[in-house]
């Protein structure tokens, strides 16, 4: 268990802020230098930016998935063409059980290996 700071990006304007990482568990048995190097390299793999970013790309992608997942779970009354009616996109308010929630976040087979959130 250890921690480190990493400033993986260059400041375009103003100052760059380093990110603070806490290693709680390491199944791969990396030493500190290897893990810091991997973290630095992952900051250069974010597909929405041609420069390095402040945190590793998988963390950005996890944030994007979490942000998009709320659209699978919330009701979208404005998406139905009728004013005042509830859309059945997420199952309505009466259908909020575990089975309905599992259906709402199930990923279609065609998008299983595609980063649709990128």
């Amino acid at each position: 268990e250890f921690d480190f700071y990493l400033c993986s990006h260059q400041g375009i304007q103003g100052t760059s802020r380093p990110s603070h990482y806490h290693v709680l568990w390491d199944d791969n048995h990396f030493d500190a230098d290897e893990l810091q190097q991997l973290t630095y390299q992952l900051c250069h793999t974010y597909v929405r930016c041609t420069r390095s970013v402040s945190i590793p790309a998988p963390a950005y992608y996890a944030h994007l998935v979490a942000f998009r997942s709320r659209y699978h779970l919330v009701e979208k009354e404005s998406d139905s063409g009728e004013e005042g009616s509830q859309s059945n996109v997420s199952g309505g308010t009466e259908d909020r059980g575990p089975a309905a929630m599992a259906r709402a976040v199930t990923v279609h087979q065609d998008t299983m290996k595609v980063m649709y959130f990128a």
Side-chain angles (χ1 to χ4, degrees):
E1 193 173 311
F2 64 94
D3 65 335
F4 63 94
Y5 286 92
L6 177 66
C7 188
S8 60
H9 63 291
Q10 186 176 20
I12 296 172
Q13 286 182 331
T15 58
S16 298
R17 292 183 356 188
S19 298
H20 189 191
Y21 297 92
H22 297 274
V23 180
L24 301 176
W25 188 262
D26 182 16
D27 287 332
N28 296 313
H29 307 292
F30 285 118
D31 64 7
D33 291 335
E34 291 173 335
L35 193 58
Q36 290 171 15
Q37 185 66 27
L38 175 66
T39 305
Y40 178 74
Q41 290 172 350
L42 284 173
C43 291
H44 290 80
T45 60
Y46 188 58
V47 297
R48 288 186 169 186
C49 186
T50 58
R51 304 171 60 96
S52 63
V53 292
S54 60
I55 60 174
Y60 267 117
Y61 294 140
H63 175 73
L64 288 171
V65 168
F67 184 77
R68 181 157 302 184
S69 68
R70 74 179 181 166
Y71 290 110
H72 294 283
L73 299 175
V74 298
E75 295 179 57
K76 295 189 175 122
E77 295 178 5
S78 62
D79 285 349
S80 68
E82 304 168 11
E83 289 295 322
S85 69
Q86 288 186 353
S87 173
N88 207 12
V89 170
S90 64
T93 56
E94 67 278 351
D95 194 14
R96 290 286 186 183
M101 296 299 256
R103 278 193 314 274
V105 296
T106 301
V107 179
H108 191 273
Q109 191 65 28
D110 293 343
T111 58
M112 204 53 109
K113 295 184 180 182
V114 177
M115 294 191 311
Y116 72 98
F117 50 84

